[in-house]
Amino acid sequence: NLPPDSPISLTDALNDIQFSDIFILDEIQRMQDLFSEATGVASIITHPDGNPITQPSNFTRLCSNIIRKTEKGCSNCIQSDAIIGGQNLAGPTVQQCLSGILWDAGVSITVGGKHFANWLIGQVRDAEIDEFRMIQYADEIGVNREEFRKALSEVPGMSVGKLQKVAEMLFVFAKDISEKAYRNFQLNSHFIELKKTTEQLQESEGNYADIFETVSEGIAHTTLLGKVLSINPVSYTHLAGDSQMTL
């Protein structure tokens, strides 16, 4: 870590960067797609406020083409993603979506203590889903009941217990990539500081060299025994008559 008196701490530096500054979006999208395909759940990564970062993976038609196509439904989805994916370092959050009552889960992506993103999964129905309540939600957001009911029947089933296990696996995975991202950020920060220090030293050495070569006074570096290690041009005339210095 940077020393306490460093002008810019790692925490300060993290506050000035965004998700895309420490994660490669194409790689994150690929991991998200693979996770979703392997587990059979929908998935998306959003900013902490719920607005999307990645493209959705394996979204149900009910969510992507019906609920999220309405202004109120989309607003409710973003709010739900912000809450379910909120920072929780203890484990995943598993609960019913606030935009309808399908089951969702979320984990936070936290790097160096900063909450960078939410990773949301779910869009599944358990055996005890309240279809009447779902149809009421269709009326609330202003969509056709029959189209809503048909899309609801296509939603994959999954027990809450199984979704919890999938969410726990995602939590471990997200924690691992977050820790790796932080280590990479630390290394990059140290490299930048080292490069900056090296450039400052080179600049100082260059300034000293200019003074050493152009000053009107003689300058000589010698050992304790008087052996001359380096001299500036003006010193040549002085050294010519100094028999005590050994060149």
Side-chain angles (χ1 to χ4, degrees):
N1 293 332
L2 294 175
D5 58 349
S6 175
I8 301 179
S9 68
L10 285 175
T11 301
D12 292 334
L14 280 169
N15 288 334
D16 293 332
I17 64 176
Q18 302 300 317
F19 183 87
S20 58
D21 295 323
I22 53 177
F23 293 100
I24 300 174
L25 291 183
D26 287 345
E27 292 184 2
I28 289 293
Q29 183 72 56
R30 179 174 176 273
M31 287 189 287
Q32 175 193 295
D33 292 342
L34 289 173
F35 185 91
S36 184
E37 181 180 350
T39 58
V41 296
S43 184
I44 192 170
I45 296 174
T46 74
H47 293 288
D49 64 4
N51 282 292
I53 294 175
T54 59
Q55 296 298 315
S57 303
N58 199 31
F59 264 36
T60 63
R61 186 170 71 90
L62 177 66
C63 292
S64 62
N65 293 347
I66 297 179
I67 296 177
R68 286 180 180 253
K69 290 297 185 181
T70 69
E71 182 178 353
K72 185 172 184 179
C74 184
S75 177
N76 289 342
C77 287
I78 291 174
Q79 181 184 9
S80 181
D81 289 347
I83 293 173
I84 298 176
Q87 189 172 33
N88 182 1
L89 302 182
T93 299
V94 179
Q95 67 176 62
Q96 287 179 308
C97 176
L98 302 180
S99 184
I101 55 174
L102 298 182
W103 281 90
D104 286 341
V107 302
S108 57
I109 297 177
T110 301
V111 179
K114 178 181 176 180
H115 180 196
F116 274 90
N118 311 328
W119 193 330
L120 288 306
I121 60 172
Q123 295 181 15
V124 296
R125 53 183 290 174
D126 68 346
E128 299 179 0
I129 191 168
D130 187 342
E131 292 197 18
F132 178 73
R133 182 180 167 190
M134 288 292 290
I135 297 304
Q136 284 184 315
Y137 187 65
D139 294 338
E140 182 182 332
I141 62 176
V143 298
N144 180 273
R145 280 190 172 194
E146 290 308 312
E147 187 65 23
F148 190 96
R149 183 181 283 110
K150 183 178 179 181
L152 177 60
S153 69
E154 299 169 2
V155 174
M158 179 179 291
S159 69
V160 177
K162 183 176 181 180
L163 179 61
Q164 177 74 41
K165 293 296 183 183
V166 174
E168 289 172 358
M169 179 172 62
L170 177 62
F171 176 77
V172 173
F173 181 57
K175 183 178 179 181
D176 182 61
I177 64 172
S178 296
E179 290 174 349
K180 288 180 179 178
Y182 187 50
R183 288 196 293 271
N184 289 339
F185 179 76
Q186 286 178 308
L187 289 173
N188 186 56
S189 297
H190 294 329
F191 174 76
I192 291 173
E193 286 297 315
L194 180 60
K195 183 180 179 182
K196 181 179 178 181
T197 300
T198 301
E199 290 173 349
Q200 289 173 340
L201 287 173
Q202 291 173 340
E203 182 179 355
S204 297
E205 290 173 356
N207 292 337
Y208 175 77
D210 290 340
I211 296 172
F212 187 74
E213 293 293 328
T214 60
V215 70
S216 60
E217 299 293 331
I219 301 175
H221 295 157
T222 71
T223 66
L224 292 176
L225 298 178
K227 181 178 180 179
V228 176
L229 300 176
S230 63
I231 58 175
N232 67 341
V234 176
S235 298
Y236 282 107
T237 57
H238 297 289
L239 288 175
D242 193 341
S243 60
Q244 293 182 345
M245 287 190 173
T246 306
L247 292 174

